[in-house]
Amino acid sequence: MLQTFLPLFIMTFGICLFIVLMQFLWRYIDDMVGKGLGIPVLGEMFFYAALFLLPMALPLAILLASLMTFGNLGERLELLAMKSAGVSLIHIMRPLMITIGIISIGAFFFQNNAMPVVQVKLYSLLYSMRQKSPELDIPEGVFYGEITGYNVYVKQKDNKTGLLKDVMIYDYSDGFNNARVIKADSGRLKTSADKLFLVLSLFNGESFENLKNQTGSAGAKVAVPYRRETFGTKEILIEFDANFTRTDESFMQNQYMGKKLNDLQTSIDSMTVRLDSIKALNAKSVYEMSYRRTFSKPKREEGNQAGSSQVNNTDSLKKKQDEPAVIIDFDSLYQAQPASGKAALLVRAKSNIESVKADYYFKAATMGDEAYKVRRHLTEWHKKFTLSFACMVFFFIGAPLGAIIRKGGLGMPVVISVILFIFYYIVDNIGFKMARDGVWAAWEGMWLSSAVLAPLGIFLTYKAVNDSVILNADTYLNALKNLIGKRSGRKVEKKEVIIFTPDYEAILPRLDKLANDCASYLKGHKRWLNYITFWRQGGKDHTAEQLAAEMDGIIEELANSDQNLLLNKLMDYPVIGGYNQLNANLNGKIGLALGILIPIGLPIYLLATYQRKLLRHDIQVVQKTSRELEDMIKSLETKN
């Protein structure tokens, strides 16, 4: 099993890692193109990106490899041979279960020990790449604004000599009000040796700039002076850092992405205490600023003073503290003011409200930031475990699924794996965003995908161990045919060797009894049943089961006959089964409660009524066929 699984796992892991790495490349391609980054920097970035994306590729690789492994075994009938030798599916899966367990444990240690370092390195490198100035390449015929403080226009470039023709430069490095315009017939652009400056050499041109406004002694504005310069050769030095500077990693290491499990737990505990203290202070501030607290304070202070003067009289202190707040009629006070006083009060109230509102917004933003940090630490804490559990879940989905579908190769397994992984990825992202935004608790969001897929793995493993045909299309097709009454007919063939000849005389009373029982059943079981009675009675139709059992017994005995006419007539008997009432496993009270829910109960009732009609038709056919067989046996005995 390991010789079959491990090569497939290595191959699928490489393919999956390449796919997710390409997706990462397309996501950050804009930060890399046109920056003049060297091969070592790009190689380092791809190396860290591959390690960063390993948690995404590993579960998909396990799913695909296990699905292909057991699909190949089932397609080559090797799985069937092992089962026929008495080896159960769980025993066959045991070596791979141990292997996946080791991989899961390794994935946990990778998430806890290596992933913080990888994330710090990768995000620091990406941030440095974003801050890197683009490689200088001035196009023809358009204004180039990638140089900070300058706009450069070049009409034509000579790619061989590097000469720029018809150059126009807008220099607004000192502000737009002090802009300078330079125009030259030609020029050359080069970078200084330390790559910190651009040296622009211009030939045969002129420049124009406004000088700062001059004001007179009385403050009146005078004419704005300007300067115009004509030059044959002019050099301009422009600050332009073309080097690749790495960002300090210490900032990233203090974030949630750069911490191990113990560090995350320590940070969560300290930040939770801080958040609780902020909440307590905000709540106290809200209470202190409320009008009820303000106007009840004098009463409480009076009670506190009385209590301080009479320390031993605790009952009196408690009584004064429990006195109700002073009730003031604000409307009457407001109406007693003149119009100017009312306006002043309204302006003052509005100003206070705006001040309180701004203060609450600031406090809410501060508390929201702290809560967000706590949630991000919690999601990262749970993320250390979810990868290992996802590896186990995907194995117990892929291995049983491969044993059921029995299709190997890269066809059907790839399609099923991609569909399942896309479903897992969507559910996992939904849970992560819910936990990150505080809609759900952190453990609910981060374990959502595992909680959804784990029952699927258990169900598929159970079905595979019991050799279920859950994914066989014929199973569902036959169930649908049985639901609508389109079933295959009964087949009875003449036996080449007959050991026991049927006792026709003993069978005649049985046929007569079966026909009479069918008539009694049809008389007592009408096509339509009262809705309330249908849900109240519950239980299976034992009478129909007894009739089917008696019919099968007669068919089994008459199948030993050497008369072709009898054998052909036996094939007229229908196959009775699958017509148990849909409420068979419900007792009367539960069934009645379900029936009251009309949107659920009514469709079930209508479907059961249709099946009741089909069952009545089958019973009529059984009655008719039994009478015809009875007549045929009697005529056969008369001839003999």
Side-chain angles (χ1 to χ4, degrees), residues 107-116 259-262 384:
F108 168 75
F109 284 103
F110 177 82
Q111 281 285 95
N112 186 43
N113 298 321
M115 186 56 73
K259 296 180 181 179
K260 297 182 180 180
L261 199 62
N262 294 333
K384 307 291 185 185

Side-chain angles (χ1 to χ4, degrees), residues 87-294:
V87 183
S88 65
L89 181 63
I90 297 296
H91 187 74
I92 297 172
M93 295 168 56
R94 188 176 300 168
L96 300 185
M97 291 167 60
I98 297 174
T99 304
I100 298 301
I102 295 174
I103 294 175
S104 300
I105 295 174
F108 168 75
F109 284 103
F110 177 82
Q111 281 285 95
N112 186 43
N113 298 321
M115 186 56 73
V117 179
V118 170
Q119 291 186 134
V120 169
K121 296 285 186 181
L122 179 61
Y123 285 117
S124 300
L125 191 58
L126 287 175
Y127 181 78
S128 302
M129 292 168 61
R130 289 193 184 101
Q131 299 302 314
K132 169 72 168 63
S133 300
E135 192 175 22
L136 195 63
D137 185 16
I138 300 177
E140 295 180 351
V142 295
F143 280 95
Y144 182 75
E146 294 296 332
I147 303 175
T148 304
Y150 293 85
N151 256 326
V152 181
Y153 175 85
V154 176
K155 186 175 182 180
Q156 188 179 0
K157 290 195 309 182
D158 190 342
N159 295 325
K160 294 182 179 180
T161 61
L163 187 65
L164 308 177
K165 298 180 180 180
D166 292 334
V167 180
M168 182 181 294
I169 301 173
Y170 285 89
D171 179 6
Y172 52 90
S173 56
D174 294 333
F176 286 98
N177 294 329
N178 299 311
R180 180 173 59 159
V181 181
I182 305 174
K183 191 177 185 308
D185 293 340
S186 60
R188 294 182 184 276
L189 184 65
K190 62 181 181 180
T191 307
S192 63
D194 56 2
K195 294 185 177 182
L196 295 178
F197 296 94
L198 292 177
V199 180
L200 183 60
S201 302
L202 300 176
F203 310 106
N204 299 326
E206 59 181 356
S207 65
F208 176 88
E209 66 175 316
N210 283 328
L211 300 179
K212 294 183 178 180
N213 294 343
Q214 304 292 328
T215 58
S217 58
K221 291 186 178 181
V222 298
V224 178
Y226 67 92
R227 179 168 59 196
R228 183 174 180 177
E229 177 186 2
T230 302
F231 57 86
T233 301
K234 184 179 182 64
E235 287 190 351
I236 301 175
L237 194 64
I238 304 173
E239 290 187 6
F240 186 83
D241 189 359
N243 293 312
F244 177 71
T245 305
R246 291 180 178 269
T247 305
D248 188 11
E249 298 177 356
S250 59
F251 175 75
M252 295 291 182
Q253 290 175 350
N254 294 327
Q255 303 298 318
Y256 63 90
M257 64 184 68
K259 296 180 181 179
K260 297 182 180 180
L261 199 62
N262 294 333
D263 298 333
L264 285 172
Q265 187 62 54
T266 303
S267 299
I268 290 171
D269 294 339
S270 60
M271 286 190 296
T272 302
V273 173
R274 174 178 170 83
L275 182 61
D276 291 341
S277 63
I278 292 175
K279 290 180 179 179
L281 289 175
N282 289 344
K284 184 178 180 181
S285 175
V286 171
Y287 177 71
E288 291 291 342
M289 295 179 65
S290 66
Y291 74 92
R292 180 175 180 83
R293 171 64 177 169
T294 302

Side-chain angles (χ1 to χ4, degrees), residues 554-589:
I554 293 174
I555 293 172
E556 183 179 359
E557 188 166 351
L558 287 177
N560 294 318
S561 175
D562 57 354
Q563 301 293 322
N564 291 329
L565 292 176
L566 287 178
L567 296 177
N568 291 335
K569 181 53 66 176
L570 289 177
M571 288 190 288
D572 291 342
Y573 275 119
V575 179
I576 300 179
Y579 289 149
N580 290 325
Q581 295 180 5
L582 298 179
N583 61 338
N585 297 322
L586 300 176
N587 58 38
K589 294 182 179 179

